[in-house]
DNA sequence: GCTCGGTTTCGACGGTTATCGAAACCGAAG
DNA sequence: CTTCGGTTTCGATAACCGTCGAAACCGAGC
């Protein structure tokens, strides 16, 4: 295998994080699971990436072209590409090439898992 | 003000992130908001911190002593303290000193905000 | 007051990461 | 086949981060 479609590096360990996770307020995470999920949070832990993620997730047809993402930021195109690769590696987005353009779409699976994990149980607290 | 209670550094900008955020699948984040929330995700983006967070959030009485956290990890006590400070600065946990021990508890507010942000709308997708 | 255990802070070291520009890649269209 | 625009990769640089041990801090108890 040389490099069939480098775009589909499709989440190495996030695949392992595929099966899990009640709210962390209900149950302590196992170290291994914590490591997998921390990688996903880390991917969201950059302002540019988080904004990219929000643009992709809220894109009209469920997908958006890199050419529509890049102009919204003050960083270079190569930097945007790098951040998109990070999101892809984390399993948060998917990429597909059509003609000259590459379209990204969100992967709801992992997002939902993270959302569940963070959901506070039933408790109330404004602070 | 010299240093009244260094433990309550109580979230600098997370206070700004206090008011917001429909699911990102519904609306693109503004750059400023993205920066604030990215800081919170970044705090969760380390395996040790995420596991710490889960231990604190799932603690029986809603709180847990540092002395009960430290022995669960293979890193030094000073490193644990450093990570706890990071979680505190992100507005994810609160600390209170009682006698010789310091107790940490989760701040559900920010957790809930992050959970909402990540919630995929109504869509279905297993991939 | 002095000591002691729990916790945080300080300073340093090594590895990671965000960023850039240049180069490579890849379809499409001359 | 050559060119061209969009995108990714490569290599380099500077800033950041996780970790440690030592030192400082802080109540409690002697």
């Amino acid at each position: 295998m040389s490099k069939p479609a480098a775009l589909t590096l499709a989440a190495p360990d996030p695949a392992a994080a595929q099966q899990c996770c009640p709210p962390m307020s209900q149950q302590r995470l196992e170290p291994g699971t914590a490591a997998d999920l921390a990688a996903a949070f880390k991917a969201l832990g950059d302002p540019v990436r988080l904004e990219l993620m929000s643009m992709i997730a809220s894109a009209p047809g469920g997908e958006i072209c890199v050419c529509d993402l890049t102009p919204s930021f003050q960083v270079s195109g190569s930097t945007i590409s790098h951040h998109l690769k990070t999101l892809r590696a984390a399993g948060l987005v998917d990429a597909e090439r059509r003609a000259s353009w590459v379209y990204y779409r969100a992967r709801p699976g992992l997002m939902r898992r993270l959302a569940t994990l963070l959901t506070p149980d039933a408790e109330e607290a404004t602070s």
Side-chain angles (χ1 to χ4, degrees), chain A residues 103-116:
Chain A
Y103 295 87
Y104 279 77
R105 54 176 59 240
R107 282 186 162 286
L110 184 50
M111 286 179 63
R112 182 167 16 243
R113 193 153 41 248
L114 298 179
T116 304

Side-chain angles (χ1 to χ4, degrees), chain A residues 24 37 51 55 57 60 63-64 73 75 83 86 109 116 127:
Chain A
M24 65 165 82
L37 296 174
E51 204 181 339
M55 290 180 73
E63 64 179 17
I64 186 170
F73 298 86
V75 299
H83 284 310
T86 300
T116 304
S127 116

Side-chain angles (χ1 to χ4, degrees), chain A residues 48-90:
Chain A
V48 174
R49 280 197 298 268
L50 187 57
E51 204 181 339
L52 279 170
M53 188 70 209
S54 83
M55 290 180 73
I56 296 169
S58 65
E63 64 179 17
I64 186 170
C65 174
V66 174
C67 59
D68 289 326
L69 292 171
T70 307
S72 292
F73 298 86
Q74 304 225 343
V75 299
S76 73
S78 67
T79 298
I80 295 294
S81 182
H82 164 70
H83 284 310
L84 289 172
K85 183 180 186 178
T86 300
L87 289 174
R88 231 162 45 214

Side-chain angles (χ1 to χ4, degrees), chain A residues 13-24 27-41 110 113-114 117:
Chain A
D13 34 11
Q18 206 72 310
Q19 63 279 4
C20 79
C21 300
M24 65 165 82
Q27 181 181 334
R28 174 184 171 184
L29 283 170
E30 293 177 22
T33 310
D36 287 344
L37 296 174
F41 283 123
L110 184 50
R113 193 153 41 248
L114 298 179
L117 192 74

